[in-house]
Amino acid sequence: MVDHQDLKSRFGIIGNSPLLNRALDIARQVAPTDISVLIQGESGSGKEVFSHIIHQLSSRKHGPFIAVNCGAIPEGTIDSELFGHEKGSFTGATEARKGYFEVVDGGTIFLDEVGELPLGTQARLLRVLESGEYIRVGSSKVQKTNVRVVAATNVDMYTAVQKSKFREDLYYRLNTVPLKIPALRERPEDIYLLFRKFVVDFVDKYRTPSIQLLPDAQDLLVSYNWPGNVRQLKNIAEQVAVLEKERNINAAILSNYIPTDAKQSNLPVFVNEQNKDDFSERDLLYKVLFDMKRDMVDLKKLVVELIQNGINPRTYEENSPVINQLYKDIDTNSSNVAARMSDEYGLPSPATLTIHNPNRPKTANGEYRYNAQDVEEVEESLSLVDKESDLIKRALKKHKGKRKAAAQELGISERTLYRKIKDLNLD
């Protein structure tokens, strides 16, 4: 019987983890049989290598072997790829075509990512597994095939069955012998051995100086989670062998090649300047609308207060922010708004801001009465173009025509402001 070391040498497997050795034992024991095998493991853990082991140690080793990535084939063509089709069976079917189950008759087919198969295709696959029979797309003739199926998945198949995304009968038919491939983080004793093997291979391939991994770098390798498993480790080994000028690698150098959670969440993003301007313009419009609504509510409250209670100290005290803002809007050269108030009640000077009381009868205490039925509501313009133009004019006036300062005030780029001035004829 072939032992672990022979298998590892023959198929290029590196490691001495008990979990890895257990997986090799199962593959070696199930290979001579003809039963289906479901290989489970994370992406990049080496599932396809085990499918080759099962095929090469079986009686079908001289027959054909084909690996099919079920997740990479569009749903509309997966049945044709697996079972073939007849001429004219669908648009583009200009001639009859054999499917993989017909081509690999007498051999082994490896269905990678089998969990991605559509439910209709799953039913066809179940029939092949149970009886060896299948029908080409567009045909009514039943054909036979003698193919061993080795399937693989990186998803929790039991959960997929519970969610009705995978047929339960097919799951148990494929899972006659489950084979679990350990993730790289589950075999930490193998990580450094694999890295050394990959580095030596790439150094020889690219004719670069040898790499020496210092102890702190080795600790970093082992402590990392390796979400991409062996495939990710090989990729990093290649980067270090090719790109790194320093050949004695410590943890600080190696950390530049091993992504951390913080680095993964801050990947560089291309920023389109035009989109940025458009976003700022949208913000500008929202700002205009919300500011207008807030100002109108404040002004309405002030007007109602003045109509109801007349001009008195309490009215000014409660509405001083609105009145002060009115002074700023009508006179941008005012240096001290408070100084503009008259001595009487601290109210605005009539020369600057005059508030007229309505011609209404006074109450017993000398104040005016307000009747809501007599108020005429004047509808203001809601044109975004008008409001945008007005806001830009106010910003330019406030900053005395300095466009850079006005753009900053408006929260847009200076280039956008120039374009807006031109589009709105504000020159």
Side-chain angles (χ1 to χ4, degrees), residues 223-270:
S223 63
Y224 183 60
N225 194 47
W226 297 110
N229 291 291
V230 178
R231 186 182 294 125
Q232 183 186 12
L233 180 66
K234 184 176 182 179
N235 178 268
I236 289 177
E238 185 171 17
Q239 292 180 46
V240 173
V242 175
L243 302 177
E244 187 54 51
K245 296 180 179 179
E246 177 60 52
R247 310 314 281 182
N248 292 319
I249 309 299
N250 57 26
I253 296 174
L254 187 60
S255 64
N256 295 324
Y257 298 91
I258 296 181
T260 62
D261 292 339
K263 290 180 181 178
Q264 289 173 348
S265 63
N266 289 303
L267 293 175
V269 178
F270 173 74

Side-chain angles (χ1 to χ4, degrees), residues 276-318:
K276 179 180 177 182
D277 291 341
D278 291 342
F279 181 78
S280 297
E281 292 173 20
R282 186 170 65 250
D283 282 352
L284 174 60
L285 294 176
Y286 283 137
K287 183 177 185 296
V288 170
L289 292 175
F290 285 124
D291 287 348
M292 284 173 50
K293 183 175 181 180
R294 185 184 65 249
D295 291 344
M296 289 302 299
V297 170
D298 291 341
L299 287 172
K300 287 177 181 178
K301 288 171 58 180
L302 174 60
V303 171
V304 171
E305 183 76 18
L306 290 171
I307 293 174
Q308 287 181 331
N309 303 321
I311 303 175
N312 56 62
R314 182 176 62 82
T315 301
Y316 173 72
E317 181 180 353
E318 293 180 355

Side-chain angles (χ1 to χ4, degrees), residues 12 51 55 86 95 127 152 189 206 210 219 235 248 251 261 266 271 287 319 332 363 371 380 384 412 414:
S51 69
H55 175 68
E86 296 293 339
E95 58 183 4
R127 183 179 182 183
E189 60 269 42
Y206 299 116
S210 61
D219 294 339
N235 178 268
N248 292 319
D261 292 339
N266 289 303
V271 177
K287 183 177 185 296
N319 298 279
T332 56
T363 60
N371 188 344
E380 59 180 321
L384 291 179
I412 60 177
E414 191 173 357

Side-chain angles (χ1 to χ4, degrees), residues 130-149:
E130 291 179 339
S131 63
E133 297 179 347
Y134 68 96
I135 301 176
R136 284 185 178 184
V137 176
S139 173
S140 58
K141 180 182 177 182
V142 177
Q143 301 193 58
K144 298 280 289 186
T145 186
N146 178 19
V147 174
R148 182 181 190 174
V149 175

Side-chain angles (χ1 to χ4, degrees), residues 2-41:
V2 182
D3 60 17
H4 290 159
Q5 197 55 47
D6 290 338
L7 276 178
K8 293 173 183 177
S9 299
R10 182 175 175 182
F11 293 97
I13 298 174
I14 306 295
N16 298 307
S17 165
L19 291 175
L20 178 64
N21 290 337
R22 173 59 180 163
L24 288 172
D25 283 336
I26 295 175
R28 181 177 56 187
Q29 292 172 24
V30 76
T33 70
D34 236 5
I35 57 179
S36 302
V37 180
L38 180 61
I39 305 175
Q40 301 181 64

